[in-house]
Amino acid sequence: MKEIILIKLGEIVLKGLNRKNFEDKLLRTLRRRLGRIGSFKIRAAQSTIFVEPMDEDIDMDEVSDLVSKVFGIAAFARACVAEKELDKIKLAAVEYLKETMEDAKTFKVEAKRSDKKFPFNSPQICTEVGGYLLEKYPHLSVDVHNPDVIVTVEIRDFAAYVRAGLIRGAGGIPVGTGGKACVLISGGIDSPVASYMMAKRGLELMAVHFASPPYTSQRAEEKVIELLERVARYSGRLKLYIVPFTKIQEQIREKCKEDYFTIIMRRFMMEISQSIAMDKGAQALITGESLGQVASQTIGAIGCTDAVCNMPVFRPLIGMDKEEIIEISRKIDTFDISIQPYEDCCTVFTPKHPRTRPVPEKVADEQNRIEDSAALIAEAIQNVRVLDIHGYSD
Ligand code: ATP
Ligand code: MG
């Protein structure tokens, strides 16, 4: 029995004239991601996308998992394909929904007939299919108000489709329809979640990571790569720029007052990220900051870091509690990687008493003790390493 996936479009349908763009992007994304596991016919019609496997041995669980991570999809369903004859539809329903019906106590049938030439109307389809299911699964009863299972029969142009229920999609907007932004990624819990959240709003991602060997290890870098691979399952492939940060951090330690270390370091990070982002066509930065979480994330500290930025900085976690952030990190499978203990450059040279109420002018004065910062920044950018990150390694 042939199984396909029916995809219901999300917010895309609201987008008026842009709708075609969004739909095309979504189709291209599905073709690219599913192309990895086999050959498919993927087409859009009547605000539904049909994903039809063309190889015998395609694992539909895997297809379903990949589809569930594509932004722009409100809901989808696995369905079986039947010829447009009532008897065949009835047989298909009984066979395809066997396990679901055996597990259920109550059900109802809904019919959607977009092919008006089909000789039975929707109520007739419901009665016929419902009656046959009751006959074959006598433990069931019909409950039109609160059924365990809703069986849906869709009569479309080329075939009929039978399914039970809808699976919730990833929501959001197709990646790449909203422009491109650069995430500052660390090995922590927060920045992978921030990346996921902004990709969900349609942004294509690029990422910058600051590494300070020998204070930070090779393993810390691998951890960041692993985290981004998880993010890429949602956002699609992206580039990671690894910036050598040791010299700058050592200069800060040598020249600046200890209580300003973190904030000055963060200003360097923003400036360098912004420069790389601009060069690669990104229009905003993304960080995993959450207000008040640590000393460098107070309103004053954020003001001091923003003072060196002239592109928007998106902080999707700004109003979230740690618990809420962790919940998302578990959902996107980054949590277990994030909690592995490897040093981040933020945790080397941390001041004992960081400034929680820094004033931008004072910070700038302190930072100016490093005379050749423009040259330091240029050197760091020149020595950036680029990596290609994919959601799945095979
Ligand atoms: P995270 O969980 O993302 O590490 P955090 O709560 O540990 O965040 P900080 O370490 O203060 O907070 O970092 C705040 C933000 O700065 C991070 O969310 C990230 O966007 C950015 N950041 C921190 N360290 C790095 C780094 N080594 N490279 C790139 N960006 C970084
Ligand atoms: Mg961190």
Side-chain angles (χ1 to χ4, degrees), residues 6-295:
L6 299 174
I7 292 175
K8 308 290 172 185
L9 302 184
E11 278 182 48
I12 299 183
V13 291
L14 305 173
K15 297 290 176 187
L17 287 176
N18 268 338
R19 180 182 164 150
K20 180 92 181 70
N21 268 350
F22 283 45
E23 204 174 281
D24 287 350
K25 190 79 192 176
L26 190 54
L27 285 170
R28 278 202 300 278
T29 304
L30 285 165
R31 287 192 179 115
R32 194 176 51 243
R33 296 206 194 162
L34 294 177
R36 205 179 55 79
I37 59 170
S39 147
F40 292 85
K41 197 159 121 196
I42 301 176
R43 65 196 166 83
Q46 300 158 319
S47 52
T48 301
I49 292 177
F50 296 76
V51 177
E52 191 179 338
M54 304 305 279
D55 298 334
E56 285 287 315
D57 57 348
I58 285 176
D59 176 356
M60 291 304 277
D61 289 339
E62 195 177 355
V63 178
S64 184
D65 181 56
L66 289 178
V67 168
S68 75
K69 295 182 167 62
V70 175
F71 293 129
I73 295 175
F76 64 98
R78 293 165 72 150
C80 80
V81 187
E83 275 180 58
K84 287 198 289 185
E85 286 173 31
L86 199 52
D87 283 344
K88 298 215 163 122
I89 294 170
K90 283 154 69 170
L91 283 171
V94 165
E95 193 187 329
Y96 179 65
L97 301 175
K98 187 167 188 293
E99 272 175 43
T100 316
M101 296 326 260
E102 280 172 355
D103 288 346
K105 290 197 177 63
T106 58
F107 79 108
K108 76 169 173 180
V109 181
E110 288 181 350
K112 292 184 180 156
R113 189 177 61 131
S114 52
D115 171 11
K116 299 295 177 205
K117 292 204 289 286
F118 189 70
F120 300 89
N121 65 21
S122 296
Q124 288 168 328
I125 298 168
C126 292
T127 312
E128 286 286 329
V129 175
Y132 195 58
L133 283 167
L134 279 174
E135 192 183 315
K136 294 292 170 185
Y137 300 106
H139 72 283
L140 285 174
S141 58
V142 173
D143 179 347
V144 290
H145 300 296
N146 195 20
D148 296 339
V149 178
I150 299 176
V151 175
T152 306
V153 179
E154 298 190 23
I155 313 286
R156 301 269 191 160
D157 288 351
F158 300 103
Y161 304 96
V162 179
R163 62 178 167 86
L166 283 173
I167 304 165
R168 191 163 169 186
I173 303 172
V175 167
T177 54
K180 182 169 163 181
C182 172
V183 60
L184 281 75
I185 187 94
S186 69
I189 294 169
D190 304 334
S191 40
V193 172
S195 314
Y196 157 85
M197 286 175 74
M198 296 319 298
K200 185 173 181 180
R201 297 312 300 163
L203 291 175
E204 180 191 341
L205 300 181
M206 59 178 276
V208 168
H209 175 68
F210 294 85
S212 294
Y215 308 103
T216 61
S217 66
Q218 179 62 29
R219 193 61 194 88
E221 214 174 285
E222 283 158 17
K223 180 183 175 189
V224 167
I225 293 170
E226 276 177 47
L227 285 170
L228 278 180
E229 283 170 350
R230 293 295 161 90
V231 170
R233 293 179 180 185
Y234 293 88
S235 69
R237 61 194 163 179
L238 67 146
K239 287 207 176 351
L240 166 63
Y241 298 84
I242 300 181
V243 184
F245 205 43
T246 316
K247 237 182 177 173
I248 291 176
Q249 283 200 286
E250 285 175 343
Q251 281 292 305
I252 298 172
R253 183 180 54 176
E254 206 171 294
K255 307 268 171 63
C256 308
K257 271 217 215 96
E258 188 187 314
D259 47 353
Y260 285 98
F261 279 4
T262 311
I263 191 107
I264 292 174
M265 180 193 70
R266 299 203 52 77
R267 281 159 62 101
F268 272 105
M269 281 186 174
M270 294 305 236
E271 247 184 282
I272 292 171
S273 302
Q274 176 167 270
S275 169
I276 299 172
M278 227 141 33
D279 188 52
K280 307 297 172 198
Q283 296 165 283
L285 300 178
I286 301 168
T287 76
E289 289 161 302
S290 159
L291 193 66
Q293 197 185 80
V294 289

Side-chain angles (χ1 to χ4, degrees), residues 296-312:
S296 61
Q297 297 175 21
T298 61
I299 196 166
I302 287 175
C304 289
T305 44
D306 271 359
V308 298
C309 295
N310 38 39
M311 59 169 62

